[in-house]
Amino acid sequence: MRVPLSWLREYVDLPATETGRDVQAKLVAVGLEVETVEQIGAGLKGPLVVGQVLTIEELEGFKKPIRFCTVDVGMANGTGEPQEIVCGARNFSVGDKVVVVLPGAVLPGDFAIAARQTYGKTSHGMICSTDELGMGDDGTHGIIVLPPEHEVGTDAIELLELVDEVLDIAVTPDRGYCLSLRGVARETAIAYGLPLSDPALLDVPPPNAFGYPVKVSDPFGCDRFTARTVVGLEPDARSPIWLQRRLQKAGMRPISLAVDVTNYVMLELGQPLHAYDRTLVDGPIGVRRAQQGEKLTTLDGTARVLDAEDLVITDNRGPIGLAGVMGGANTEIADSAAGEHTTTSVVIEAAHFDAISVARTARRHKLSSEASKRFERGVDPAAAAAAAQRTVDLLVLLAGGMAESGVTEISAPSAPRTIAMPADHPDRVAGVAYGRETVVRRLQQVGCDVYGQDELIVTVPSWRPDLAEPNDLAEEVIRLEGYENLPSTLPTPPSGRGLTDRQRLHRRIGRALAGAGYVEALSYPFIGTAVLDQLGVDADDDRRRTVTLVNPLSDEEPALRTTLLPGLLGALRRNDGRGSHDLALFETGLVFRPTGTEAQAVRLPVDRRPTDEEIAGLDAALPRQPRRAAVVLAGAREQAGWWGKGRPADWADSVEAARTIAREAGVELIVRGDQHAPWHPGRCAALYVMVDGEETLFGHAGELHPRVVKELHLPERTCAMEVELDVLEQAVDGALQAPRISAFPVATQDVALIVDQEVTAADVERALREGAGELLETLRLFDVFTGDQIGEGRKSLAYALRFRAADRTLTVEEASAARDAAVALAAERTGAVLRGA
Amino acid sequence: MQDTFFVQGTTPDGRVTTGDESGIVLRTHTSPVQARSLLGRKPPVYVVCPGRVYRTDELDATHTPVFHQIELLAVDEGLTMADLKGTLDHMVQALFGPDMKTRLRPNFFPFTEPSAEMDMVCYVCRGDSVGNPDRPCRTCGSEGWIELGGCGMVNPKVLVACGVDPEKYSGFAFGFGIERMLMFRHNVEDMRDMVEGDVRFTRPFGMEI
């Protein structure tokens, strides 16, 4: 809501010294968000006067038509001689009254005016457009032609009200009444402790039976409808400058007198109005719900197909307006300039429509108007008659119209709304002892009637539909007493329970990965099918079953991620492209994995706690959203330096990242070879953990498939790991059981095993462990070797085995026997041959 | 709400929904956690909940469609707006230093009543830039205050919907954006730096900030 300070002063007698910034501070304190104070005409300096065009000479030979004019500016130029001015606009004729700026003046934007040579002539000033005077672009690109009654030489700064301040207020949804000068003036009056001249206090004739016939068939959708008729409007009447200027400053464009007047009254009183051309309305006006599929072309020229829930205004032919949103083109007011038909009599509608109905219609038709904005937030139903009267008065005054004596007023019966509240309730909400007297005074200031002693009975004013509960009234008291005056106290909460096990685990994992050199990257969770194709994900893979958004930011990425890899790989690529090549990134976050068997969402009650079954029903509508962790690696894992050559990141690093995570949960990781997109089949590990005695898939790690690397433009040999932390949580097996420490000596045995290249170290290790039996304490792969000695397609894996018994020193024979058993099982399971054997 | 991401649903007859019919959205703030907290435990309840939230803003220097909020909810006997104010003061002092303070301005949120917008003294200029054109402050636009987020007394209707007796208990809540806080505290000029995952931006922050 844009509020010109000069207009506001009409209703509140503010001290002359108060600036827009002063008023802003006061209004902000009582809860009106005054976002800016616009200084209109800042820096403007005259002489700027009314002139009359005496002669026009068309200059030839230039790229665009140019006029050399002489203009009578009276004594404003000191001589009374005609002023010679060059002008590029063409929308004026000899005899027209125009606005002339003379040399020595300064226009907004620090535009100093001086006599200057142009188009072979000397121009002593300018004939002005709205744009140049800071009045806003009127869309004509022409100069201002004033009504003929203004005298030559009159100061145009004052005439056009060019200097003003405009408060721009972001009105919150509960304060619909502040979408009007009347509402903002009320708050201003309270903030300054000054009386308000309420512009809605008008003498309104009582309704009678001979007004324009109106039939409301839906009294819930429309609980009030006032219709008034004005006839004999002068076809050539134009909005006076003061009215146009107020509309412009408030951000509306002047259109025609009748339309301008309805807009003006809406801005003044907050009541949206509509003027129908009476000769175009066929029979009685009706208010009803639309029939499904009915058609209406609205004033914006859009043909609309109506919904059965839309509330419409009708005449004998059908809809002539979307109630509270926008009128129809078929009864539009016609200006004299517009064509053959000119409006000379109007029916004025001042009605009150249901807020929710208007909001739904506006949203359904994607049509937000000044009217719908107001109805959605609540219009004062009691102001309808006054607004109609004010419109009638202005049309009579400005257009020479005559008000017909018929007054139609249809209203559904309604009782004033009252709220019972203990007098100390605001005190208890605020933690401040205001006392009953202050509470009552503040409530009366906002327009409430208050009765009662300890228990107050508060009747709320018609323009405050938002006041419905005791806390609403408490807010009124507290805001007017000043939020800034609230004391600052600290509550004493009971001791907390701290983080849950799950939260602590997630934090440990993040720290462990960061400690291992990974940098966290939080990517957006939006993906499209393209990236799943690039990752080589099969058509029937679960990762293609996505949660999809109705209104995604990008149509390319309408779905929520089912894996963390697309986002993380995107971050990797971005870093690589910016010159960081040695990269280790991690992310933990949710993925969204619908099963397709989710229930329909249920609407929970709000008047009581929902039952556990109802809550479970809601939860059943949601997709599974497990938390995952992922890492990606490229370039060097260890930098080269004086300490050595460095080492590129490889698949083993990605497996180690999973081990780092599992370790934080005290869980052993089981690693198996696998084939799973987007990993390279020979360098892909499936990762398992034990959950309730079952091996459960935890995730995958390894080197990405070269095709994926190419498709996604990633650095060569990029590695990745992704695991599901919810699985890890299930694998956590209660409190750690302390190990029994043996003090007997350790027996060490090394073995080198030759296996086929395809055999994974993980399988060999598992066989060794199982074969070695209970005496095995640790096992470690310390070397991998390929070469001619081993043979084509073969590799040698060297392991260090440590044996120890709890109750004795092992003999060499015992250790050797355990080692042999381990090798034997590895040979049986994996075809391993002892090297050198 | 106009800045909400709506999730597609499927009707029983297999039609894909296009509006808000699925009843599922991406949360635009962390307040659902408040409701879940109240449903899951008996007062007194004092919780702090950080989380990811989603709004249909295009990414630019000061907006990101995916960001983080942190929210506080306190429900107990006799809690007042003065307690809310004190808790906010305590928080900004913990985050920004002992001489920080907050300011409340009336505002509207459906789930709190009374509601307020909370500002804190500008972390950079501490208010010195106000009315001092020689020393303008880019962080607060020489306003002296920085808008942090919304707060208020829990609307008694919310308590009722969570099975808490509003005659016995009252509560307060506030929430603010973590990225925004990070911008002020660490002088981050462009929101995009926080979402792109460039290691040169992230590394200096170490393991905890």
Side-chain angles (χ1 to χ4, degrees), chain A residues 89-91 128-132 137-145:
Chain A
R90 308 191 54 74
N91 63 319
C128 299
S129 69
T130 54
D131 228 5
E132 287 155 347
D137 181 6
D138 67 351
T140 63
H141 302 291
I143 57 116
I144 304 167
V145 178

Side-chain angles (χ1 to χ4, degrees), chain A residues 172 174 429-430 469 471-472 475 483 488-489 497 514 523-524 548 550-551 574-575 578 600 608-610 619, chain B residues 4 6 8 10 18 36 39 41 52 64-65 81-83 86 89 107-108 113-115 157 161 196-199:
Chain A
T172 51
D174 59 329
V429 172
E469 307 281 335
N471 268 39
D472 301 331
E475 181 178 66
Y483 276 17
S488 185
T489 57
R497 286 182 282 189
S523 51
Y524 286 171
T548 306
V550 171
N551 54 337
R574 195 172 301 122
N575 275 289
R578 292 177 182 179
Q600 293 287 316
R608 59 168 170 83
R609 185 190 192 279
D619 288 342
Chain B
T4 306
F6 295 95
Q8 272 185 8
T10 314
T18 54
R36 294 275 182 174
L39 287 171
R41 59 193 82 184
R52 213 171 210 207
T64 161
M81 244 177 128
D83 292 329
D89 285 339
N107 204 315
F108 171 77
E113 186 72 39
S115 301
K157 288 177 181 171
E196 286 180 343
D198 192 314
V199 294

Side-chain angles (χ1 to χ4, degrees), chain A residues 101-251:
Chain A
V101 61
L102 299 175
V106 182
L107 293 185
D110 214 11
F111 180 18
I113 303 297
R116 66 188 184 103
Q117 292 288 324
T118 179
Y119 298 104
K121 301 275 185 188
T122 303
S123 186
H124 298 271
M126 264 169 47
I127 304 178
C128 299
S129 69
T130 54
D131 228 5
E132 287 155 347
L133 296 181
M135 295 165 67
D137 181 6
D138 67 351
T140 63
H141 302 291
I143 57 116
I144 304 167
V145 178
L146 295 169
E149 64 268 24
H150 298 291
E151 286 197 16
V152 161
T154 309
D155 177 22
I157 295 178
E158 204 172 312
L159 176 70
L160 297 176
E161 299 174 33
L162 292 179
V163 180
D164 203 347
E165 296 186 271
V166 178
L167 311 175
D168 195 354
I169 305 176
V171 176
T172 51
D174 59 329
R175 302 273 201 99
Y177 68 104
C178 283
L179 288 172
S180 67
L181 264 296
R182 181 192 185 211
V184 175
R186 185 181 304 281
E187 291 294 332
T188 310
I190 299 173
Y192 279 90
L194 291 169
L196 168 76
S197 325
D198 186 346
L201 287 181
L202 295 177
D203 284 335
V204 179
N208 52 44
F210 40 94
Y212 198 92
V214 174
K215 184 174 184 305
V216 176
S217 315
D218 190 329
F220 177 77
C222 171
D223 60 9
R224 195 174 289 244
F225 199 114
T226 299
R228 299 289 296 273
T229 308
V230 181
V231 299
L233 302 176
E234 285 166 17
D236 296 327
R238 293 171 58 189
S239 301
I241 289 172
W242 64 264
L243 194 153
Q244 293 199 30
R245 289 299 293 140
R246 284 188 171 180
L247 289 179
Q248 282 170 341
K249 289 174 190 172

Side-chain angles (χ1 to χ4, degrees), chain A residues 460-498:
Chain A
V460 303
S462 56
W463 60 86
R464 293 299 302 268
D466 61 306
L467 300 181
E469 307 281 335
N471 268 39
D472 301 331
L473 300 179
E475 181 178 66
E476 294 301 306
V477 174
I478 300 167
R479 77 175 171 94
L480 295 179
E481 284 294 303
Y483 276 17
E484 70 274 18
N485 295 322
L486 285 168
S488 185
T489 57
L490 273 180
T492 47
S495 62
R497 286 182 282 189

